[in-house]
Amino acid sequence: MSDADLAPSIGFDDFLKVDVRVGQIVKAEPFPEARKPAYKLTIDFGPAIGIKKSSAQITHHYTLDQLQDRKVAAVVNFPPRQIGPMKSEVLTLGFPDAEGEVVLVGVDRDLPLGGRLF
């Protein structure tokens, strides 16, 4: 899908079905088994949701050290997806740069973990 291709219009109730929360990366590891360069992320979403795993193709713009303790946004209500040997439990969100490489969606304030996007 190119930037010019817009998704079909949805109602606000459809938007509310997608549960996007803020979490904090507590561990970032190499993921050499992935087909495309990726990291394994362990993300804390606070006591109500807990700690979840995610595979993220973000190796172009981020080192493992840069990811530690970083706040990120993720969809937490998709079913888990098998990515190689790991089960990815959440979809960590990002936008493509001019070359199509992922830049993470983040927050610019210290927010409570698990806060929902609205």
Side-chain angles (χ1 to χ4, degrees):
M1 179 189 242
S2 76
D3 289 343
D5 296 331
L6 294 177
S9 292
I10 61 171
F12 189 71
D13 288 341
D14 292 322
F15 168 74
L16 291 176
K17 292 177 187 176
V18 181
D19 194 352
V20 177
R21 303 286 180 131
V22 64
Q24 185 169 17
I25 298 172
V26 294
K27 186 179 351 178
E29 305 171 88
F31 191 11
E33 304 91 350
R35 278 187 278 161
K36 294 182 180 178
Y39 294 137
K40 290 187 230 180
L41 304 178
T42 303
I43 306 170
D44 183 357
F45 291 96
I49 297 168
I51 294 177
K52 302 289 184 182
K53 302 254 185 206
S54 181
S55 170
Q57 296 174 3
I58 56 174
T59 59
H60 184 80
H61 286 295
Y62 304 95
T63 66
L64 294 171
D65 289 341
Q66 290 172 320
L67 295 169
Q68 186 66 37
D69 299 324
R70 183 186 180 97
K71 297 262 175 64
V72 294
V75 176
V76 299
N77 66 332
F78 284 153
R81 186 171 176 192
Q82 194 70 39
I83 309 288
M86 81 168 280
K87 197 163 283 223
S88 187
E89 301 171 296
V90 299
L91 176 65
T92 306
L93 298 175
F95 290 104
D97 68 9
E99 287 78 42
E101 300 292 343
V102 179
V103 176
L104 289 170
V105 171
V107 296
D108 65 355
R109 300 285 188 272
D110 189 22
L111 300 176
L113 300 181
R116 185 168 182 178
L117 176 77
F118 58 83

